[in-house]
Amino acid sequence: ALINRHSDRFLFGTDEVAPADQQQYLRVYRQYDPLWRALTPEAQRLVKRGNYERLFDAARGRVRAWERANTP
């Protein structure tokens, strides 16, 4: 319920480092299946991908602006 109410504040991620193959990486993703089923479609979209895109796209623009303002 918390994630559904505040779905713009959560990101999916793993601590999987250098998985040998996609199956190994997806093992962690599949462990979240009970959570994915409990979320609304919109909350799933935001947690899985949307929030990352929003945050990192905005950060990219801020970094480029800082570079323009602070480098010769």
Side-chain angles (χ1 to χ4, degrees), residues 8-56:
D8 63 329
R9 298 181 183 190
F10 292 87
L11 295 172
F12 168 73
T14 74
D15 292 330
E16 191 71 44
V17 178
D21 55 32
Q22 185 180 25
Q23 287 305 101
Q24 185 179 353
Y25 181 79
L26 291 175
R27 177 184 55 81
V28 175
Y29 177 83
R30 290 187 183 111
Q31 288 174 338
Y32 281 76
D33 281 344
L35 174 65
W36 303 141
R37 286 192 297 272
L39 296 178
T40 66
E42 178 62 7
Q44 283 187 48
R45 185 189 70 76
L46 289 172
V47 173
K48 290 178 181 179
R49 188 185 71 244
N51 292 331
Y52 173 88
E53 291 172 345
R54 175 177 50 84
L55 293 168
F56 282 79

